[in-house]
Amino acid sequence: MKIQVTKTTTPKEKPDAKNLGFGKVFTDHMFIMNYTEGKGWHDARIVPYQPLSLDPSTMVFHYGQEMFEGLKAYRSADGKTYLFRPEMNARRTNATNKRLCIPELPEGDFVEAVKAVVDIDSDWVPTEPGTALYIRPFIIATDAFLGVAPSKTYLFIIILSPSGAYYKNGLAPVGIWIEDEYVRAVRGGMGFAKTGGNYAVSLAGQVKAHDDGYSQVLWLDGVERKYIEEVGAMNIFFKINGKIVTPMLNGSILPGITRDSVLQLCRAWGLPTEERRIDVAEILEAQKNGTLEEVFGTGTAAVISPVGKLRYKDDVFTIGDGTIGEVSQKLYDAITGIQTGAMEDPFNWRTQVC
Ligand SMILES: *Cc1c(COP(=O)(O)O)cnc(C)c1O
């Protein structure tokens, strides 16, 4: 892929690395590439970060034909910049695209584009512990047309945002609201796809949970509303009686790259793992009989998010002694150690950008 580069003549001031937060500040450049039916993907370019100008009838605004990805670039102590398993994001992009009738994007081009734009803005990768450069690739349908059909033109764009440490004072347990009214996805729908619609549908449940003081929603299956699916933007794991248990990939949950990494690490450590259907009643029972040892979410943003409290209907209960579980902490240390180059990389998960 040939990428044409136009560098900014007015570089921005870098933000204070101690107060980055998430998704508010963007770097100097962005990657952009067009798709036109009959011509394929074309005109790959890196340009100064700038607004888009789109016709108000542009399809994505009306029918939501779009996808996104999320990954990070990490700075090692010796000044190198790494990506974590970007080929998995490339593969997942095409799984999402297929479901949403968005044309396939060559996986090599996806990784090459991410590397090229991160390389140009590599001085934006923050260096404070726990910080990283968040990478947001996305594709939108751009035909100016109100008919309901797959668009014939698209834009693939990558923007970059330096993001702060998710945990400032060590892993902090969160409270989770098990949602029994709204559902996020159903089998045959698009729950496995990384697309904005899955977030739009989740907002009402999230607002309800937040109003009650919970930070995340745990979704149940859309049919029987009793099998555990996932948490908003994270997959969920339970340690029950020494076993690491997580819902199987059934089509309605997002196949997280952190989820896959956690399963591989647990297996390498000799911990028994199970991917299967989990009835919420089983979790309540394990909690009551004292075999529910740890609960944690997994995702690119927080890596591991320990769950300290669960609410289901009228029941509220604390997990373990309310502190961080041993496996949760070990997984967090291993994954972040590999991502930042502080630890060996036995699975070849790191890709060096520069
Ligand atoms: C992105 C995402 C995850 C986590 O995936 P990772 O690849 O681990 O970051 C989990 N659930 C949903 C709904 C997501 O969009």
Side-chain angles (χ1 to χ4, degrees), residues 74-78 82 131 335-343 350:
Y74 308 86
R75 175 65 42 85
S76 69
D78 59 356
Y82 292 115
T131 63
I335 294 174
T336 55
I338 293 172
Q339 287 169 335
T340 59
M343 280 168 69
R350 274 198 300 262

Side-chain angles (χ1 to χ4, degrees), residues 92 184 194 199 230 232-235 254 256-258 299-300:
R92 191 167 63 190
R184 172 186 176 271
K194 215 164 169 77
Y199 282 76
E230 64 167 306
M234 289 191 292
N235 296 109
L254 204 288
I257 295 162
T258 320
T300 295

